[in-house]
Amino acid sequence: MPKKKNKTNKLGQTEESGKCSASSCSPVAFDKSGSITISVHAKPGSKQNAITDVAVEAVGVAVAAPPMEGEANAELLRYLAKVLEIKKSDIVLEKGCKSRKKVVKVLTSLSLEDVLERLKKEAATS
């Protein structure tokens, strides 16, 4: 019987037979340039901004703006900057301008643990 190969998820992270370490199965990771990236599943058109869940694949974020003319993207970045306690200019949309699946890049010197902790704290209060 052949061995099972390592699986690669949509984010390019390797999972060994469904098991993975905390850093490799997190929606918060480092990119090739060393910046922190956050995988986001946006839910535009909500009544209020909120982090709905912090899952293995992505952070679910409800955005209180319609998905028209970049309004939801701008509101998403503004809300994440508030949650992470950073300036709006220190967070940019890397991928997914017209998709619900987005990748956001954090340009400040925060640690992965700090970012994940702040996201989980906000998810618990929402």
Side-chain angles (χ1 to χ4, degrees):
M1 183 176 228
K3 285 185 175 182
K4 290 185 179 179
K5 293 183 180 180
N6 293 344
K7 295 180 182 178
T8 304
N9 64 15
K10 294 177 184 176
L11 302 174
Q13 299 166 336
T14 304
E15 301 176 12
E16 296 179 23
S17 303
K19 297 179 183 177
C20 51
S21 67
S23 62
S24 68
C25 285
S26 172
V28 182
F30 285 110
D31 66 358
K32 292 178 183 177
S33 66
S35 298
I36 293 177
T37 60
I38 305 169
S39 298
V40 174
H41 183 262
K43 300 165 189 170
S46 300
K47 289 186 178 184
Q48 61 185 9
N49 293 331
I51 295 184
T52 57
D53 64 334
V54 180
V56 174
E57 288 184 2
V59 177
V61 182
V63 182
M68 297 170 56
E69 300 177 10
E71 290 179 41
N73 290 338
E75 183 66 17
L76 172 70
L77 294 177
R78 189 199 64 74
Y79 177 62
L80 287 177
K82 178 184 156 214
V83 168
L84 298 175
E85 300 169 5
I86 59 176
K87 295 186 290 186
K88 287 187 281 186
S89 60
D90 289 338
I91 190 164
V92 294
L93 185 62
E94 184 78 3
K95 293 181 186 175
C97 186
K98 293 187 177 188
S99 171
R100 287 180 184 235
K101 293 182 181 179
K102 301 178 184 299
V103 177
V104 175
K105 184 186 275 191
V106 179
L107 303 175
T108 60
S109 58
L110 288 173
S111 69
L112 287 177
E113 293 79 21
D114 285 342
V115 171
L116 201 54
E117 179 184 325
R118 291 175 188 183
L119 292 171
K120 287 182 179 179
K121 180 180 172 186
E122 183 68 16
T125 61
S126 297

